């Protein structure tokens, strides 16, 4: 099982980016999917998560600016970011709770995608 993230880049403050992350491999089921971010010398923090039934949770710092969604047919999770601020600059990681065929659920991580917001 692999997670492939894309969509990061350099954007001016106030701009937008759309991050995508697709799970591939021998997958029986996917539970929650989400995005974390990390900056140097700080722990990785949860940005947003979406559960299998569609409920969502967001970090307070991104509420009203970021929207998480998923396409179950494509095993893909999206993060629409709007009104980006310099403090949103970070390496963004996708995360998913996946049950490969024949095993139980485990957390998987994608490679980071860098979001840089200039002031």
């Amino acid at each position: 099982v692999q997670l492939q993230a894309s969509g990061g880049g350099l954007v001016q403050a106030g701009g937008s980016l759309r991050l995508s992350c697709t799970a591939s491999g021998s997958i029986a089921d996917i539970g929650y999917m989400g995005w974390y971010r990390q900056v140097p010398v700080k722990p990785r923090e949860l940005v947003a998560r979406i559960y299998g039934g569609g409920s969502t949770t967001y970090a307070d710092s991104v509420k009203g600016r970021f929207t998480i969604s998923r396409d179950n047919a494509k095993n893909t999770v999206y993060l629409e970011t709007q009104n980006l601020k310099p403090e949103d600059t970070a390496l963004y990681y996708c995360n998913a709770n996946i049950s490969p065929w024949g095993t139980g659920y485990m957390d998987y991580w994608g490679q980071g995608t860098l979001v840089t917001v200039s002031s």
Side-chain angles (χ1 to χ4, degrees):
V1 174
Q2 290 185 326
L3 296 179
Q4 181 68 44
S6 63
L10 173 63
V11 64
Q12 289 187 330
S16 303
L17 284 174
R18 187 194 199 205
L19 307 185
S20 302
C21 177
T22 298
S24 62
S26 183
I27 297 171
D29 189 45
I30 301 177
Y32 57 76
M33 304 182 82
W35 293 90
Y36 284 72
R37 65 186 181 187
Q38 189 170 25
V39 297
V41 305
K42 287 189 177 181
R44 194 174 292 188
E45 66 166 349
L46 176 65
V47 176
R49 176 177 285 173
I50 184 166
Y51 294 86
S55 61
T56 59
T57 185
Y58 294 92
D60 287 343
S61 59
V62 306
K63 284 180 180 176
R65 300 188 298 121
F66 291 11
T67 303
I68 191 170
S69 61
R70 63 191 284 175
D71 184 333
N72 292 327
K74 296 181 179 179
N75 289 342
T76 298
V77 61
Y78 305 98
L79 186 68
E80 300 276 0
T81 67
Q82 297 179 328
N83 191 21
L84 283 162
K85 303 175 181 180
E87 51 264 43
D88 293 317
T89 295
L91 200 54
Y92 283 70
Y93 295 91
C94 64
N95 161 259
N97 193 239
I98 296 174
S99 172
W101 287 107
T103 67
Y105 288 86
M106 293 175 55
D107 265 13
Y108 290 85
W109 293 88
Q111 87 289 4
T113 185
L114 183 62
V115 172
T116 304
V117 184
S118 63
S119 57

